[in-house]
Every structure is written in C-alpha cells, then in structure tokens.
Amino acid sequence: MLSANTHKEVVVGDQILTTVDWARAQFALTAMYHWIFVPLTLGLSFLVAFFESIYVKTGNEEWKKLTRFWMTLFGVNFAIGVATGIILEFEFGTNWSNYSWMVGDIFGAPLAIEGIFAFFIEATFFAVMFFGWQRVGKGFHLFSTWMVAVGSNLSAVWILVANGWMQFPTGMAFNPDKARFEMQNFWDVALSPVAVHKFTHTTSSAFLLASLFVVGISALFLLQERHQKMAKRSMVVAAVFGFIASVFVGLTGDEAAFNVAHRQPMKLAAMEGLYVGQEKAPIVAMGIINSSKKPGDDLPAFYQEVKIPGLLSLLANRDPNSFVPGINDLVFGNAERNIVGAEQRMVTGKIALAELARYKYAREKGDEAEAAAALAIFDQHKGDLGYGYLNNPAEAAPPVSTTFYSFHIMVVLGTLFPVIFLAVLYFAFKGTLEYQRWLNLVCFFSIFLGYVASQAGWVVAEVGRQPWAIQGLLPVGVATTNIAASNVQTTFFIFLTLFTALLLAEIRIMMKQIKIGPEA
Amino acid sequence: MNNASIYNKENTGVFPSEKEKTPVAALSKQMYCLYRDGFRSMVVGRTLWKIILLKLFIMFAVLKLFFFPNYLASNFNTEQERANHVLENLTGTAPSR
C-alpha cells in the first residue's frame, strides 16, 4: 500500500491501517451503498414510463394501477437513496483534499450545474408524477414521467464523465503554480471514449438491474398466486427491456474492455490474471487464482484454470493472434515489444517531481530563469508524474485476485441474465409463466444477483485501476489529506451504521408495499 | 405550454379561476395547490419524507458540521495558500531520486 504522506495509523487486529486505507474503505462503502439505489432509480424510471405509455395508449385502467404500483416502489427507492451521493462530496473535501483541489477546475462547475439541473427537474416533474394523477391531463402526466426518467439519467452524466476522466485523463493541462489540472478542451473531457463507454455501460447495466427487479418482484407475486395478471404484464415489458439492455451491456462492455486494453492495460491484465504477456492470449473462463503470486516471481498464476485461447487478444485488439501485455511486462517493461514498464516510468516520474520541486523553490526565490528551466524539464516528463511516488514498480499493479474474481462474476452473471429474460418471454407467450415455479424462484433471486453483478462491475473499474486516483498522475496515497486515520475510522463506522439503518428501512418499506401490492 | 393544455378540467377544486389576473399567478396557484394537496394526501410518502428529513439533518447538521470540514477551506485563507499547501504535498512526498 502506498503511504507517501506522513499518515497516522490505526491498528486493527494485526493489521496497520493508514489514513489512505480508511479513506478508501469509507469511499468504497459510501459509493457501493449509493450504487444500491442509483441503478434502480435510473432503470425503474424508464420502466414506469413504459408502463404509463401503455396505459395512455390503451386507456386500460389496469395498466394505470400497475404503473402506480411500480411508481410507488420507485419513490421508496428514490427517497431512501436521495442525497447519499452528497456524502461522497463531503469525503472529497475532508479525506481527499489534495485530489479535490487538483481536479476542482475540471469537475467543480459541471457537477454543481448538474446538481442544480437535477434538483429542478426532480422538484418539478417528480411532483407532477406523484401528485398529478388527478390534476393534470394524461399527456402531460406521461410527459412528466418521461422527463423524470430522462432527467435522472442525465444527472448521472457528469459524475460518470468525471470517473472516466480519472481513468483516462485528457483535455487538460497541469498548472504547476496552482497545483491544478485545468481544462483545455471541454469536449475532449466530455466525449472521451472512456467517458462515453462509462456512461453507456453503466446506464444500460442500470436498466438491466431494474428489469431484474421488476421481473423478480413480479415472479414473487406469481409464486404467491397474487396479482397474476399484473405480474405477467410487468414481466413481459421488463423482460423485453431487460433483454435489450443485456445485449447493450454486452456490446458496451466489449467496447469498454477494448478501451481498457489501450488506456489501462494493467487493469486488463489483472482482470484476466495475465502475468506474462503473450500472443493469442486466452480468456480464463474459470479459474482459481494464486493470490500469493507477485509480479516477477515464478509462482503459477492459477491453481486451476480453463482457458479459451485467443479470446483475450480478440477482445483487446480485435485480432485473435495479437499480443496482449501481462502484468510483468507492464511492471518491468518489455523491450522486445516496445513496452515501457513502471520501473522505467518511475525514473521519469521522479525527474518530473524533482523538477516540480525545483520550479516551486525557484519561484519562491524569484529566480525566473531557473523556474523556466525546471518547468521545461518537468513538461518533458510530467506524463509519468504519478510513477514518481512509487517505491517499488510492483506497486503499479492492482490487487489481482479482487479484480479477476469481480470481473468474472460480472461477466458470468451478465451472460446469465439475458437467458433468464428469454425464458420469461418464452413461457409468457406460451401462457404458462405462472406454472414455472423454478423459473420464478430464479427470477426472484436474480434481483440479488443483479446487484452483485452491478457492484462487481464497479469493483473491477475501481480496484482494477489502483494505485491511481488519476491514472498515471496521482496515486491514492498522495491524493488523501494528511489527517489522522482515527478521524476517518470514526466516520467510517458512523456511515456503516447510518447506511445499514437506511437500507433496512428501505427493505422494510418496500416489502410492506409489495405485500399490499397494486391495490394500495 | 398553456395552462389549459396542462390541466385536466374535469378535476376541479384547484383549477384556475377565470378571475385569475395573470397566467403566471394562475400557474403559481396551481403549482402551490399541487404540492399542498399532494403532500396532504401522501400515505407512504409521509414516512419517506420523515426519513429524508432525518437523513438530511444527520448529514448536514451533524456529519458535515462536526465530522467533514473542508480541509483546505478550513485551514487556509486564500487560493494561493491552498495551492501552495497542495504543491508542498505533491513535491514533499516523493521518495528521493
């Protein structure tokens, strides 16, 4: 673990955890908790809009009842989840002050605008959606419901663009006087390939999860032999939406992996536990990874594995015979393949840091000539700035086991879900859906599996890019504030308690509403 | 969009009176009534609002106030001081060459 700052430590059992460990744990806890609610909000808002569109088109009051039922569950989820993301911003200011200062010019204004925009959309159209059934015309009510769906999804844009920028920093320049990354080209930031795929993959996975939620709760009704007509209607719409979303998740996931291969090859290597780069690189369909293995040692990467030759090369380069670098290549370099490793980049990074320090000192002394000379050398080496903080090149590799397993869990589940949606549609059109007890049980438990896949996806994205807060430029150990670990530890447990209480409240209220059903 | 196209005239009670002087005033009254009656008629919404308010209170009046000060804003007065502090952290934390 990086500990570049003079962080104080807290001993937990036989582990010594520093401020950065607690800050990361707290951020992960908050973000993962936040992500329980967000995907359901993003996806369910569209499903509610579909249901209401059918109601407006057909004039059938049963569709209205159905719409209002799912809208109530949407409201419960939204209410419990609302503002949980703000805690992340608290954490930026307190725990990650170096990071938040450095990226403030890029994200500050857009995130604030997005917050205001989302607030006004939600305050206006949410009110009409929930309170306006008896007050506004059908058309305007439907318009409001669609606006809630579109607005909710648009409000996810900038936070995902921000995340994309952290994975692939572009469209900016580092200002050494202000210690800030400053935006040079808005469109490079907003439309970077990583940001675009981050948004499309994330939102489509949210649609998938919400579809699983609707299918799963409806399946519960079928198992209980309650509200069967409403349940089957909901399942058909959600299964169609879910299947389309699944296909889109697969396509955007493939594009995202292609981007990872070129922008974050270390993450791709960790996702597949690939230590030694090779041509016709395989994908590990199943495997038990050797968690003791370190970059550069002779231990086997896997205890057991089943590989599909060439598939990783195809995924990474669209060529099954191509070369995919492994962790060892990226840590120690591979001259034959013209790959500069972290070991070499550390040298460059340390030059950049030394010249930045010299520049700072020269400016303080008022020696403009020396400052200019230092800046010129800094500019030549600043691309590897973050590597200058590493003590050992192996620190450039993320936790491989966590990344590998999370990626494979996500992919396996992501492959299972469209099969479930197709099975639902098959039996729905056959007219025997309510008799498929096994399928309805699978559908119900798939709600949980959907959350597992969704969270696993974020674990791949975030753990897989360690040690970086900003890829290649700022490691997490330098991004944190120099505060006592015990401070962050205290708030970690406060959040844990608060979040658990809120989650239990949500589950309880949801279960109550589900028990009441659409008759409420 | 004009008011007539938005509001369903069959549902009376809050619909704008012909005597309303301006469309803005009429729309404001309709919006007010929409929120007022909506809040009054909430069932599960009441519980949710209690949770939202309690949550916001804990977040802003307790956590933000006592546990999450903005470190740079609290400890430094000017932008330049903050920049210098961050630059100090960036340049002072690297292992020696």
Side-chain angles (χ1 to χ4, degrees):
Chain A
M1 181 61 59
L2 289 165
S3 54
N5 283 358
T6 53
H7 295 129
K8 295 172 186 171
E9 297 163 342
V10 167
V11 179
V12 178
D14 56 355
Q15 296 279 318
I16 297 174
L17 297 179
T18 59
T19 300
V20 68
D21 297 322
W22 282 108
R24 287 181 62 201
Q26 188 179 89
F27 200 87
L29 172 78
T30 316
M32 291 177 90
Y33 173 81
H34 184 53
W35 194 248
I36 291 173
F37 302 105
V38 174
L40 195 54
T41 296
L42 300 185
L44 202 49
S45 60
F46 271 110
L47 278 159
V48 167
F50 293 147
F51 294 140
E52 189 175 343
S53 298
I54 297 171
Y55 159 61
V56 171
K57 176 86 177 162
T58 62
N60 184 336
E61 287 294 312
E62 288 187 15
W63 280 101
K64 181 181 178 184
K65 198 185 282 186
L66 181 158
T67 304
R68 293 191 71 163
F69 170 70
W70 293 113
M71 197 177 278
T72 303
L73 297 191
F74 169 81
V76 173
N77 179 68
F78 184 86
I80 305 283
V82 72
T84 49
I86 290 173
I87 293 173
L88 296 169
E89 294 189 25
F90 293 175
E91 291 172 32
F92 281 137
T94 304
N95 301 343
W96 302 93
S97 63
N98 289 340
Y99 162 81
S100 57
W101 173 264
M102 293 176 78
V103 302
D105 181 72
I106 294 177
F107 303 138
L111 285 174
I113 292 166
E114 182 179 88
I116 294 165
F117 170 76
F119 173 80
F120 280 108
I121 279 203
E122 285 159 6
T124 306
F125 293 108
F126 264 59
V128 176
M129 191 170 106
F130 283 101
F131 300 156
W133 282 105
Q134 308 301 327
R135 293 182 175 277
V136 300
K138 280 183 183 178
F140 186 65
H141 192 279
L142 179 62
F143 173 74
S144 300
T145 306
W146 275 102
M147 284 304 291
V148 167
V150 173
S152 299
N153 280 268
L154 282 181
S155 72
V157 169
W158 257 100
I159 193 70
L160 293 172
V161 167
N163 184 272
W165 185 86
M166 289 159 71
Q167 318 256 356
F168 175 53
T170 184
M172 56 75 195
F174 180 73
N175 181 337
D177 293 313
K178 294 184 178 173
R180 270 194 151 154
F181 294 105
E182 294 177 339
M183 193 182 292
Q184 301 293 302
N185 187 325
F186 173 82
W187 297 111
D188 278 357
V189 175
L191 298 177
S192 91
V194 177
V196 170
H197 291 119
K198 182 69 63 183
F199 179 72
T200 52
H201 190 58
T202 305
T203 48
S204 54
S205 75
F207 301 160
L208 196 166
L209 186 140
S211 301
L212 286 172
F213 178 81
V214 170
V215 166
I217 299 298
S218 302
L220 182 67
F221 283 137
L222 293 185
L223 288 166
Q224 295 173 339
E225 298 181 10
R226 300 163 59 219
H227 314 298
Q228 294 199 337
K229 198 171 177 184
M230 166 261 176
K232 284 189 280 186
R233 284 177 165 173
S234 301
M235 285 176 95
V236 169
V237 175
V240 170
F241 186 49
F243 181 75
I244 294 169
S246 303
V247 172
F248 202 63
V249 166
L251 293 173
T252 54
D254 175 69
E255 277 297 314
F258 179 75
N259 261 297
V260 166
H262 295 272
R263 322 275 184 209
Q264 298 170 296
M266 183 69 87
K267 185 194 280 187
L268 186 78
M271 281 157 61
E272 282 301 317
L274 183 72
Y275 280 84
V276 181
Q278 60 188 94
E279 291 173 348
K280 298 179 185 173
I283 269 188
V284 178
M286 285 185 289
I288 302 170
I289 207 157
N290 180 357
S291 56
S292 305
K293 182 163 177 61
K294 301 279 181 268
D297 69 19
D298 294 328
L299 294 174
F302 290 91
Y303 294 118
Q304 294 289 335
E305 82 265 39
V306 177
K307 294 179 175 178
I308 306 173
L311 206 53
L312 185 61
S313 293
L314 185 66
L315 186 82
N317 302 312
R318 306 298 188 227
D319 174 1
N321 298 314
S322 63
F323 177 83
V324 178
I327 292 169
N328 289 348
D329 303 295
L330 297 162
V331 168
F332 304 109
N334 182 335
E336 190 185 330
R337 297 285 177 177
N338 205 21
I339 295 169
V340 179
E343 201 167 32
Q344 178 59 35
R345 290 180 145 203
M346 281 173 64
V347 175
T348 322
K350 287 180 200 312
I351 294 171
L353 279 173
E355 293 304 321
L356 185 61
R358 184 160 76 99
Y359 173 78
K360 177 175 174 286
Y361 184 62
R363 287 300 303 268
E364 285 168 0
K365 280 194 312 181
D367 186 343
E368 293 301 325
E370 186 170 356
L375 192 58
I377 301 173
F378 171 76
D379 282 341
Q380 289 169 15
H381 299 88
K382 64 186 178 187
D384 288 330
L385 181 69
Y387 287 89
Y389 295 103
L390 304 185
N391 296 302
N392 178 331
E395 287 177 356
V400 178
S401 298
T402 311
T403 311
F404 172 85
Y405 286 122
S406 301
F407 177 65
H408 284 76
I409 287 169
M410 177 186 71
V411 171
V412 168
L413 291 175
T415 311
L416 172 70
F417 297 144
V419 176
I420 293 174
F421 291 130
L422 282 179
V424 166
L425 290 172
Y426 173 76
F427 287 111
F429 287 110
K430 215 176 158 194
T432 59
L433 191 54
E434 63 269 46
Y435 307 117
Q436 310 303 323
R437 190 174 167 75
W438 61 272
L439 178 61
N440 289 320
L441 278 170
V442 168
C443 288
F444 180 65
F445 286 108
S446 292
I447 299 174
F448 172 72
L449 297 180
Y451 277 106
V452 169
S454 195
Q455 298 282 354
W458 275 112
V459 172
V460 175
E462 299 307 299
V463 174
R465 71 179 167 101
Q466 293 305 311
W468 307 114
I470 303 171
Q471 184 73 33
L473 297 175
L474 185 72
V476 288
V478 186
T480 48
T481 310
N482 206 354
I483 54 175
S486 56
N487 289 358
V488 193
Q489 186 192 27
T490 305
T491 48
F492 174 88
F493 287 109
I494 291 174
F495 282 150
L496 189 62
T497 311
L498 178 69
F499 293 161
T500 307
L502 282 172
L503 189 59
L504 291 176
E506 157 141 11
I507 292 169
R508 193 169 168 215
I509 297 169
M510 276 229 185
M511 292 307 290
K512 189 179 171 189
Q513 291 304 310
I514 291 165
K515 197 173 176 186
I516 294 169
E519 306 303 330
Chain B
M1 191 175 292
N2 65 44
N3 298 334
S5 65
I6 295 173
Y7 282 81
N8 182 351
K9 290 187 177 180
E10 289 172 8
N11 297 296
T12 56
V14 294
F15 197 76
S17 156
E18 295 299 323
K19 293 177 184 172
E20 293 286 1
K21 287 180 182 174
T22 64
V24 174
L27 186 63
S28 302
K29 186 179 176 187
Q30 290 160 14
M31 291 297 288
Y32 167 74
C33 292
L34 177 77
Y35 280 93
R36 183 198 64 192
D37 296 343
F39 280 114
R40 279 181 182 169
S41 62
M42 284 189 308
V43 183
V44 66
R46 283 181 199 278
T47 311
L48 295 175
W49 270 106
K50 285 176 194 163
I51 292 173
I52 290 172
L53 293 174
L54 179 65
K55 179 172 61 177
L56 291 177
F57 174 79
I58 292 172
M59 281 168 56
F60 285 97
V62 180
L63 291 173
K64 177 65 182 162
L65 207 58
F66 297 107
F67 294 98
F68 285 94
N70 185 308
Y71 178 81
L72 293 176
S74 309
N75 291 284
F76 303 95
N77 295 321
T78 65
E79 292 283 284
Q80 195 53 54
E81 284 178 10
R82 289 172 198 130
N84 288 343
H85 172 77
V86 174
L87 201 53
E88 189 70 37
N89 279 343
L90 291 181
T91 55
T93 55
S96 57
R97 277 172 79 177

